[in-house]
Amino acid sequence: MIRSNIIVLDLGFGDAGKGATVDWLCSSEAGLDVSAVVRFNGGAQAAHNVIADGRHHTFAQFGSGTFSGVPTLLSRHMLVEPIALASESLRLTTLGVPDPLSLLRIDGRALLTTPIHIAANRAREDARGSARHGSCGRGIGETARYALDHDAPKVSDCLHPNVLHAKLQAMAAHYGPLIAPSRHRYEPIRDLVDMYREFATAVRIVDGDELARFAHRGRLIFEGAQGVLLDEWRGFHPHTTWSTVEPHNARALLAEIDAPAYTLGVTRTYMTRHGAGPFPTEDRALTFPEPHNTTGPYQGPFRSGHLDPILLRYAIDVSGGIDGLALTHLDHPGTDYAATGYTTPTGIIDRLDPGPWQDLDHQQRLTDLLATASPILTALPTDPTSWLEQQLGTPVVLTANGPDRRDRTPAKRVAAVA
Amino acid sequence: MGYGHWDDTAYRAAKTFRASRGVDDFGYTAEMQGQPYASWQAHPALEPLGVAVRECRDSDEHGNSLPIAVLFDVTGSMGRVPRIMQDKLGKLHGLLQRKGYAEDPQIMFGAIGDADTDRVPLQVGQFESDNRMDEQLRNILLEGGGGGQKSESYELAAYFMASHVSTDAWDKRGKRGYLFIIGDELNKAKLAGRHIRGVIGDHVRTDIEVASIYRELAERWHVYYILPNQSSYFGDPEIAEHWGALLGQHFMKLDDPAAVCELIALTIGLEEDRVDMHTGLADLRDVGSAAEAASVGKALGVKAGPSIRALSRGRG
């Protein structure tokens, strides 16, 4: 039996079912002997819905294996937001998870998302008016942006209140001109520092060796946040997130401990997008029930469209290939259609070419192209599984015909995962 | 506005993190309960004996300090209400600021007992504008006790507020602060000189009329009395008559004691002319305090129908 770690990756714009997939992989039903769920991108804006044993939780910073008691490691690539983490731990407690904070390990090098970032994020997004980027208003972009050229607060600073205090004050001064005229505010810095000190005593702040320790004890599941099509360098600029969503960082972490990885792509039987940006197969006539995805004040409405193998193939290409596919929402009536090509002003195309990494001009050209593309739709067979396997050149190893953990079934090829 | 939900605050997060390592939010009370009753005393930070003055001062950061004092009855007749207060009041500051109901609020918490029968009949903290408020609340001793004679030493607390508190709001701007007393019983018949001497340490030889101390207090403070449900005398008309005679419309009954923060915040917002009743109640519903909004609306005398009237502006 191959003892491989698994990277779970959303091949669309998010909301494909990563959380439910990770929950299943961590469950005793799957029997995969998982030692930890590792988060390698994003932050508190993740919203991974898991329904299992009569419980529902939208996982944000806790890993989606929490219901099975699997610890979560927030890697150095995460943006950690302690206030939201506290609320999430309270919600988990009410769902019967005993002492959720004890399941967390946090890399001290991870960046801290603070109420100052959040106020700045919202002030900036408000100022964009109708040209907004589709931000969640959770300060993620500001956290990444500020850290580019400032000495930004990190999780380990919570252990050193004086250092943290100075960094927060510098940040407050930096953002003063943006926040002061806005309607957004944050609590006094002294209050924040006190709270971060409590945070540092309540969770385990670890160094880079923690990953190897977990890997020694069992299998690691890398839970990606958001979708590859939102990747900061590979997504459709500027409608992207300030986060490396493709598995580059996850693979680098595994390479550091010399451990193999199996990459599992996740997609629905149709496409969705929450927020602004190009979406060629969007069909506004589609109104699927979306109990856990609603219109957000900063994100805007939840959008749906037909299955799009062109976008999925692009996501697979920029991810350096995947090993298997998890196909969710098979219970859904779906749209019964999928795009086989796009009509564009310059002719019909059926693929998107990845440009050089970090070439935002190329990404902007893709965005412009997609804005003018209209899809050529084909009718799907009743069970789209093998059609999609053929389109994407990847085996479907896990299917889901419902939102619950028990709705997940390993396909015959699941042996490849194990 | 601000940080999304009122519950998503540094205060609440700190509390959650503390709880996860087993630190009780009612820490000082728990500590005292492990000791013989005869040795119970107020936490040093809240001990009124020998205090010259509690101050509410402007700072560079907060140049327009607004003093707010909340003193709640911790005697046995209050039932579980003191615990609810201790748990809920910590978010008052954030609530005032976030909704813009007060510019630079500085809040002091304290507790009231019975000077005839209790070990710790009065506790008064400091005016704070940060997490130390939370610490004050945790350090309040919930003694229980009380004398069973339907009166507590509110008048002693009123005396302290009138004679041992100094504020820049008044000294520099002639602006009154806010005092909220939360309780369920009557004042003692007289403000006893021996209580003042014993509990506060002032050399006062004679007893003082209760009404006169509240008159003096009203010169520098907007004084409110909140009678919360789940206490012993919520339905007793004598309580309403007694406090109505002293404070007029500043006597309020509150259906849901968990809504105390919302009631205080909105009362201040209205008095400060920062919000009208409609908007204020909508604000509360907006942040998920729908049940609290209903209780607050009722406490502030909102009737169904088109003519919603704001709180009385008080006397001058």
Side-chain angles (χ1 to χ4, degrees):
Chain A
M1 175 169 129
I2 303 163
R3 245 190 64 103
S4 188
N5 306 297
I6 303 172
I7 300 170
V8 177
L9 205 60
D10 184 318
L11 299 176
F13 296 104
D15 303 303
K18 290 177 299 293
T21 302
V22 169
D23 168 71
W24 184 83
L25 292 170
C26 291
S27 69
S28 53
E29 285 92 322
L32 293 176
D33 185 26
V34 176
S35 63
V37 168
V38 183
R39 289 286 308 275
F40 62 93
N41 73 318
Q45 92 284 32
H48 297 174
N49 286 293
V50 171
I51 302 175
D53 308 328
R55 300 186 279 188
H56 167 245
H57 180 70
T58 305
F59 286 94
Q61 295 185 83
F62 279 87
S64 297
T66 301
F67 280 163
S68 302
V70 172
T72 300
L73 173 61
L74 303 182
S75 76
R76 67 173 184 270
H77 300 295
M78 274 288 286
L79 312 178
V80 178
E81 209 286 68
I83 297 176
L85 201 55
S87 310
E88 186 175 6
S89 87
L90 277 182
R91 288 194 297 278
L92 286 166
T93 307
T94 62
L95 290 171
V97 177
D99 198 3
L101 290 168
S102 71
L103 289 172
L104 280 183
R105 310 287 184 277
I106 307 180
D107 194 307
R109 295 166 294 178
L111 290 172
L112 207 56
T113 297
T114 70
I116 305 176
H117 293 106
I118 292 168
N121 171 201
R122 293 178 178 189
R124 212 187 288 280
E125 191 75 351
D126 283 353
R128 285 186 189 122
S130 58
R132 61 181 186 215
H133 289 184
S135 161
C136 309
R138 305 302 300 261
I140 303 301
E142 284 313 324
T143 309
R145 178 205 297 252
Y146 182 82
L148 288 181
D149 40 26
H150 295 90
D151 187 10
K154 295 190 168 59
V155 167
S156 59
D157 294 330
C158 297
L159 296 163
H160 308 284
N162 290 339
V163 174
L164 184 62
H165 193 271
K167 284 190 178 184
L168 291 176
Q169 271 197 320
M171 242 177 82
H174 171 81
Y175 279 123
L178 175 65
I179 295 174
S182 80
R183 63 197 174 101
H184 303 288
R185 293 290 175 265
Y186 51 86
E187 289 158 278
I189 286 173
R190 200 160 43 175
D191 287 14
L192 297 178
V193 171
D194 285 350
M195 181 272 297
Y196 288 131
R197 194 162 31 189
E198 295 286 358
F199 160 70
T201 43
V203 299
R204 261 187 270 179
I205 297 175
V206 298
D207 60 19
D209 297 336
E210 193 71 8
L211 189 70
R213 282 193 280 272
F214 274 126
H216 190 67
R217 268 178 256 149
R219 188 193 305 263
L220 304 172
I221 305 290
F222 283 72
E223 179 174 4
Q226 306 173 289
V228 171
L229 298 179
L230 295 174
D231 183 84
E232 56 184 333
W233 301 114
R234 297 301 196 173
F236 306 121
H237 184 75
H239 305 285
T240 56
T241 181
W242 283 67
S243 173
T244 299
V245 182
E246 46 87 4
H248 180 97
N249 285 336
R251 289 188 185 137
L253 285 168
L254 284 164
E256 283 167 24
I257 58 167
D258 199 20
Y262 177 102
T263 307
L264 178 64
V266 186
T267 178
R268 296 191 186 201
T269 51
Y270 54 99
M271 308 294 285
T272 65
R273 175 157 202 164
H274 204 174
F279 187 178
T281 59
E282 178 173 22
D283 184 341
R284 282 168 203 241
L286 299 172
T287 48
F288 299 132
E290 245 346 288
H292 307 307
N293 295 298
T294 50
T295 298
Y298 289 88
Q299 271 184 301
F302 195 79
R303 305 154 69 191
S304 299
H306 305 280
L307 190 59
D308 189 343
I310 303 162
L311 287 185
L312 296 175
R313 276 199 298 269
Y314 173 80
I316 291 170
D317 286 349
V318 299
S319 297
I322 61 172
D323 301 292
L325 201 63
L327 186 57
T328 69
H329 294 71
L330 277 164
D331 58 318
H332 219 284
T335 76
D336 301 329
Y337 290 95
T340 52
Y342 300 143
T343 311
T344 73
T346 53
I348 291 173
I349 58 169
D350 64 0
R351 58 171 288 120
L352 297 176
D353 291 317
W357 189 48
Q358 299 192 332
D359 179 355
L360 290 183
D361 291 338
H362 179 83
Q363 299 312 113
Q364 181 70 58
R365 284 194 293 277
L366 288 180
T367 305
D368 298 342
L369 175 69
L370 290 177
T372 61
S374 55
I376 302 163
L377 295 176
T378 185
L380 279 173
T382 321
D383 179 3
T385 309
S386 44
W387 185 86
L388 199 59
E389 285 182 328
Q390 205 175 14
Q391 286 283 315
L392 303 184
T394 308
V396 170
V397 296
L398 183 68
T399 56
N401 60 358
D404 203 285
R405 180 191 292 169
R406 60 169 185 268
D407 298 324
R408 258 135 259 275
T409 320
K412 53 188 182 299
R413 294 178 195 82
V414 79
V417 179
Chain B
M1 215 202 260
Y3 196 68
H5 208 271
W6 279 353
D7 273 356
D8 280 343
T9 60
Y11 161 73
R12 192 150 290 271
K15 187 174 149 75
T16 305
F17 292 132
R18 253 194 324 274
S20 79
R21 52 190 177 92
V23 180
D24 196 328
D25 269 319
F26 312 107
Y28 188 68
T29 300
E31 193 184 312
M32 280 293 132
Q33 278 164 349
Q35 296 177 21
Y37 178 69
S39 68
W40 283 20
Q41 52 187 330
H43 189 278
L46 291 138
E47 172 60 63
L49 184 67
V51 168
V53 72
R54 291 282 199 244
E55 295 173 298
C56 177
R57 298 296 179 208
D58 298 341
S59 66
D60 291 344
E61 227 178 311
H62 301 290
N64 195 22
S65 59
L66 181 69
I68 298 163
V70 182
L71 300 171
F72 56 96
D73 182 339
V74 293
T75 61
S77 70
M78 291 288 281
R80 282 193 41 76
V81 170
R83 286 216 157 218
I84 297 170
M85 298 295 119
Q86 204 176 33
D87 189 46
K88 288 276 174 180
L89 282 168
K91 68 174 182 176
L92 175 59
H93 186 265
L95 213 154
L96 284 165
Q97 270 200 327
R98 226 162 280 120
K99 283 287 152 187
Y101 292 170
E103 211 164 303
D104 299 325
Q106 286 199 26
I107 303 180
M108 180 183 96
F109 292 117
I112 297 168
D114 184 329
D116 285 323
T117 60
D118 290 347
R119 290 278 321 163
V120 185
L122 182 63
Q123 305 171 63
V124 276
Q126 308 277 2
F127 287 92
E128 307 280 13
S129 58
D130 59 26
N131 267 8
R132 280 174 294 186
M133 276 183 298
D134 188 22
E135 218 165 288
Q136 254 183 64
L137 282 169
R138 274 182 285 134
N139 286 333
I140 284 179
L141 173 65
L142 306 182
E143 180 170 354
Q149 67 285 67
K150 213 161 114 177
S151 65
E152 309 293 0
S153 299
Y154 305 112
E155 74 294 336
L156 186 63
Y159 169 85
F160 185 94
M161 292 303 298
S163 52
H164 287 265
V165 176
S166 176
T167 73
D168 275 351
W170 180 257
D171 296 349
K172 291 185 182 171
R173 297 181 284 280
K175 185 170 170 57
R176 288 190 289 169
Y178 291 86
L179 168 62
F180 292 86
I181 298 171
I182 302 161
D184 71 331
E185 300 191 38
L186 311 173
N187 286 283
K188 298 278 172 195
K190 287 281 173 86
L191 169 56
R194 66 188 164 86
H195 288 166
I196 299 175
R197 291 194 301 276
V199 177
I200 298 172
D202 290 357
H203 294 286
V204 174
R205 289 172 183 282
T206 54
D207 295 350
I208 302 171
E209 286 290 337
V210 168
S212 83
I213 195 69
Y214 280 96
R215 268 197 305 277
E216 190 185 331
L217 190 59
E219 285 172 18
R220 287 190 289 136
W221 296 87
H222 301 279
V223 185
Y224 297 85
Y225 189 88
I226 301 174
L227 171 60
N229 204 355
Q230 298 178 34
S231 58
S232 299
Y233 300 100
F234 186 65
D236 188 330
E238 195 187 353
I239 308 294
E241 277 165 34
H242 174 84
W243 286 102
L246 283 171
L247 305 176
Q249 288 194 44
H250 285 193
F251 166 76
M252 300 187 276
K253 287 174 78 169
L254 181 60
D255 276 353
D256 175 7
V260 66
C261 255
E262 287 80 359
L263 175 59
I264 292 175
L266 189 47
T267 301
I268 294 171
L270 291 168
E271 184 64 45
E272 293 286 299
D273 259 334
R274 295 297 184 95
V275 67
D276 60 38
M277 181 71 79
H278 266 312
T279 318
L281 292 177
D283 275 354
L284 296 183
R285 284 189 292 269
D286 195 35
V287 296
S289 299
E292 283 88 345
S295 291
V296 170
K298 207 169 151 193
L300 292 173
V302 175
K303 306 277 192 299
S307 64
I308 289 175
R309 225 177 98 260
L311 250 196
S312 139
R313 292 273 157 227
R315 293 156 302 188

